[in-house]
Amino acid sequence: MTELPLIDERAHLRADCASCAGLCCVAPAFAASADFAIDKPAATPCPNLRADFRCGIHAQLRDRGFPGCTVFDCFGAGQRITQQTFGGRTWREAPELARAQFAVLPVMRQLQEMLWYLAEAAERPAAAPLQGEVTAARRRTEQLTAGSADDLEGMDVGAWRAEVGDLLLRVSELVRGRSRGPDRRNADLIGADLRRRKVRNAGLRGAYLIGADLRGLDLGTADLLGADLRAADVRGADLSGCLFLTQPQVEAAVGDAATRIPAVLRRPAHWS
Ligand code: SF4
């Protein structure tokens, strides 16, 4: 029997830099820090951005002092703005479009990120009772991404994000079910040793887990939406069932060959 190719349902929610005009390398400002080797004003191309919109130091970002670039993900916003909202025209060939292209980047990124979470919600069997609402929210969010530049700039994306966030919280409660762990929403767990604390199936959305010790833990279905995992030590940990884990979060954490992550995410190169 011929094996059918797997369809990546989230393909349009992954950055496709070849179809983008380097928006994330131009629009935001950087401050020289542990994340960026240089100061860069907003709306100014990074000196490492090549004429073909590729990064000239892509393979050496961490070694050259730009780890902040490795933990950023636009969730496909860059190519959507470039190809769909502006029909393939770029800020370089049409500088009069630059202001609007840069202004819609944070809006589109939030919408694409919401679509990522909603796609996961749709894949969770335990959230079946909410599938009607999840489908409606996905449709509405897709409609919003199809708006004009003016529509996107004028949108109250924060209000829509709050509505989607409430829905995702109900999804989380269903998925974590009766065996759900403690609610540590927005908790300050910076540098905490969590190896003897209850974190399995916990509510950790928005928690500050910077530098926290999670080595060897099985987090079950812990809700990690928006949790800050910078330098969190997840060596040997099992994150494969965690809710709402994203590529930027795993890129920011410190894992190893034994760390388990959801199949939809890529294993960070620096974990090897
Ligand atoms: S270093 Fe590379 S990825 Fe980072 S902003 Fe500059 S061009 Fe973009």
Side-chain angles (χ1 to χ4, degrees):
M1 194 169 75
T2 311
E3 205 170 294
L4 292 171
L6 285 173
I7 295 171
D8 184 354
E9 294 281 350
R10 303 196 209 180
H12 69 302
L13 305 175
R14 299 178 197 278
D16 173 11
C17 300
S19 301
C20 176
L23 297 181
C24 67
C25 305
V26 186
F30 304 157
S33 61
D35 287 330
F36 299 104
I38 56 168
D39 283 320
K40 183 189 86 60
T44 303
C46 169
N48 297 317
L49 185 66
R50 299 190 321 205
D52 63 358
F53 298 120
R54 298 300 185 100
C55 173
I57 59 166
H58 181 70
Q60 308 110 38
L61 282 168
R62 284 181 181 272
D63 294 341
R64 299 278 291 268
F66 289 85
C69 300
T70 68
V71 300
F72 177 82
D73 192 325
C74 73
F75 294 95
Q79 70 256 26
R80 204 151 197 175
I81 292 167
T82 304
Q83 303 303 331
Q84 176 186 289
T85 316
F86 289 90
R89 301 184 71 204
T90 74
W91 52 270
R92 205 173 252 156
E93 72 198 38
E96 71 278 10
L97 300 179
R99 191 209 59 78
Q101 292 195 336
F102 303 155
V104 299
L105 179 60
V107 178
M108 187 70 91
R109 184 179 182 275
Q110 288 187 68
L111 294 172
Q112 294 283 108
E113 186 180 3
M114 283 182 239
L115 286 171
W116 178 274
Y117 297 136
L118 289 165
E120 177 173 347
E123 291 162 3
R124 294 276 183 169
L130 292 173
Q131 283 313 312
E133 287 180 68
V134 169
T135 301
R138 289 178 86 179
R139 285 205 186 112
R140 174 75 184 130
T141 311
E142 288 283 1
Q143 279 170 358
L144 292 171
T145 64
S148 67
D150 285 345
D151 292 339
L152 288 161
E153 258 199 88
M155 170 188 311
D156 185 353
V157 71
W160 181 237
R161 193 180 178 100
E163 276 190 56
V164 171
D166 287 345
L167 174 58
L168 295 174
L169 185 57
R170 286 188 287 138
V171 167
S172 169
E173 284 167 356
L174 276 180
V175 171
R176 292 187 293 127
R178 288 198 188 136
S179 57
R180 91 179 61 134
D183 186 352
R184 305 303 312 274
R185 215 178 306 174
N186 302 319
D188 181 352
L189 297 168
I190 297 173
D193 183 348
L194 300 174
R195 288 173 296 167
R196 286 185 185 77
R197 309 256 290 266
K198 286 187 180 167
V199 289
R200 184 174 162 77
N201 305 334
L204 291 168
R205 64 171 48 199
Y208 297 93
L209 293 161
I210 302 165
D213 192 343
L214 296 150
R215 280 176 295 166
L217 286 174
D218 176 357
L219 271 74
T221 55
D223 182 349
L224 289 172
L225 193 147
D228 193 336
L229 288 168
R230 278 177 291 166
D233 193 341
V234 295
R235 287 176 291 169
D238 187 353
L239 311 177
S240 61
C242 287
L243 274 157
F244 308 132
L245 186 64
T246 63
Q247 194 66 40
Q249 287 172 309
V250 296
E251 295 285 350
V254 178
D256 64 8
T259 307
R260 296 187 63 208
I261 57 174
V264 293
L265 301 180
R266 289 185 313 275
R267 179 167 293 277
H270 67 95
W271 284 10
S272 57

